[in-house]
Amino acid sequence: MKSVIFAERDEVPALGQGTWYMGDDPSRKADEIAALRRGVELGLKLIDTAEMYGSGKSERVVGEAIAPIRDEVFLVSKVLPYNATYEGTLSACEASLSRLGTDRLDLYLYHWPGPHPLEEAIAAFEELQQQGKIRHWGVSNFDPNDMAELYSTAGGDRVATNQVLYNLTRRGIEWDLLPQAQEDDLPIMAYSPIEQARLIAKPELKKLAASLDLTAAQLALSWVIQRTGIIAIPKAGSVAHVEENAHTLDITLSAEILAELDRLFPPPTRATSLEMI
Ligand code: NAP
């Protein structure tokens, strides 16, 4: 099974689960909980959430889903940049832990570059690690310049991941961020790996997937995790979608298929600004 390794010691299957918009519609909650639990059963043990999602509603759904299976889950949440002062990070983490009904996060991310000095968030992350409230910390939406600034900040080299937008239609990171991360042995978490479902509606992708007896989602996801050091975190709100996506962990794409995907969705030919959703 494809996997990634965080902080040189925690190995996690290369497909996890996103949760943005979970909890927004109460009538979907039972399905969302069932989907998350089924995903963990199938090996999708990393669950990604954030204090931002539904202003805490997603964390509450995740908390309910993982209550009976906490030890099987690699749990990720994020602090909003506006909250990322030293004290603000400590209290944001406390609030996330309470909504998630757990005493620890496996990974805590700085959601995107913000107004406060990185030193403050790093100091808070280190304090939270000492207290056993987080195991690792990382960043999200950091472009190569942000990463350079992070690495030049005391303690910044202990970053465990950078979570960024990456899918067949958003390949900009292949130019600079991704090769640098691979050189640094830094796992990349690919968010919106099926472009919030817009990608899998594309006829050219559907046609190629059908010729391989795959769905468009399976082809798009297996392309993301084909490279070493990348974990994709699709959000699936139903057991059917999560089961379909989980199959991706067993797929290896041939050189011919990769070349065809390059033709349909060309790689970057120059540096571009890091895109965000
Ligand atoms: P995504 O995972 O690319 O797409 C989610 C959408 O795809 C949902 O509408 C889902 O519908 C649908 N879907 C999933 N599997 C499917 C399947 N097999 N067939 C058909 N439709 C399928 O988009 P995302 O939610 O934006 O990104 C994933 C996660 O990344 C987020 O949930 C969040 O945890 C994280 N994220 C992080 C950032 C950041 O700034 N760090 C930004 C964006 C996202 P159903 O719900 O009906 O299954």
Side-chain angles (χ1 to χ4, degrees):
M1 191 185 276
K2 288 172 198 134
S3 62
V4 292
I5 301 175
F6 291 105
E8 293 172 9
R9 58 192 164 104
D10 279 321
E11 190 164 2
V12 177
L15 199 69
Q17 306 187 73
T19 64
W20 197 9
Y21 298 115
M22 282 191 183
D24 279 6
D25 175 356
S27 72
R28 302 265 319 129
K29 190 170 97 171
D31 285 345
E32 290 164 352
I33 289 174
L36 288 169
R37 287 187 184 158
R38 182 71 180 128
V40 174
E41 242 172 45
L42 293 170
L44 279 52
K45 63 179 266 180
L46 183 148
I47 297 181
D48 176 81
T49 190
E51 64 169 332
M52 186 193 97
Y53 301 163
S55 301
K57 287 192 196 131
S58 300
E59 288 183 325
R60 287 206 174 82
V61 169
V62 172
E64 252 187 272
I66 67 172
I69 51 167
R70 172 65 188 94
D71 291 345
E72 293 164 52
V73 172
F74 189 92
L75 185 59
V76 185
S77 194
K78 313 184 193 80
V79 58
L80 279 167
Y82 320 111
N83 289 339
T85 56
Y86 177 73
E87 290 298 336
T89 304
L90 297 182
S91 50
C93 183
E94 220 46 79
S96 285
L97 289 173
S98 155
R99 285 187 292 266
L100 287 160
T102 185
D103 58 356
R104 70 198 184 281
L105 296 172
D106 296 291
L107 180 59
Y108 197 33
L109 305 182
Y110 190 129
H111 208 146
W112 65 87
H116 304 299
L118 281 173
E119 285 85 349
E120 294 210 22
I122 294 173
F125 289 150
E126 287 177 351
E127 174 63 26
L128 289 165
Q129 280 178 313
Q130 296 225 324
Q131 294 176 7
K133 290 178 179 166
I134 67 171
R135 297 184 52 242
H136 309 293
W137 65 266
V139 295
S140 177
N141 298 300
F142 271 42
D143 71 15
N145 291 332
D146 300 321
M147 289 307 291
E149 188 189 337
L150 177 67
Y151 280 123
S152 68
T153 306
D157 58 346
R158 287 197 278 278
V159 61
T161 190
N162 187 8
Q163 182 180 121
V164 291
L165 176 60
Y166 185 51
N167 63 50
L168 276 165
T169 58
R170 309 274 201 166
R171 297 185 60 171
I173 66 166
E174 287 172 35
W175 188 261
D176 42 19
L177 193 81
L178 187 55
Q180 187 62 54
Q182 285 169 333
E183 204 179 304
D184 296 337
D185 250 344
L186 183 75
I188 290 289
M189 296 177 72
Y191 76 67
S192 307
I194 56 172
E195 188 69 15
Q196 301 187 320
R198 292 181 290 277
L199 172 58
I200 58 176
K202 291 197 178 287
E204 62 275 34
L205 186 69
K206 285 207 252 193
K207 192 169 158 213
L208 182 59
S211 76
L212 302 167
D213 265 340
L214 299 175
T215 66
Q218 288 166 339
L219 179 55
L221 291 171
S222 56
W223 176 84
V224 171
I225 64 171
Q226 179 99 4
R227 284 168 212 261
T228 321
I230 302 191
I231 175 170
I233 48 166
K235 177 258 181 183
S238 67
V239 166
H241 280 172
V242 95
E243 287 180 343
E244 179 183 326
N245 297 347
H247 178 54
T248 300
L249 281 169
D250 305 320
I251 300 168
T252 302
L253 301 175
S254 68
E256 289 77 15
I257 298 304
L258 292 173
E260 180 58 9
L261 286 167
D262 278 348
R263 195 183 66 75
L264 295 171
F265 304 97
T269 52
R270 61 186 170 82
T272 49
S273 307
L274 180 65
E275 297 178 287
M276 280 176 73
I277 285 187

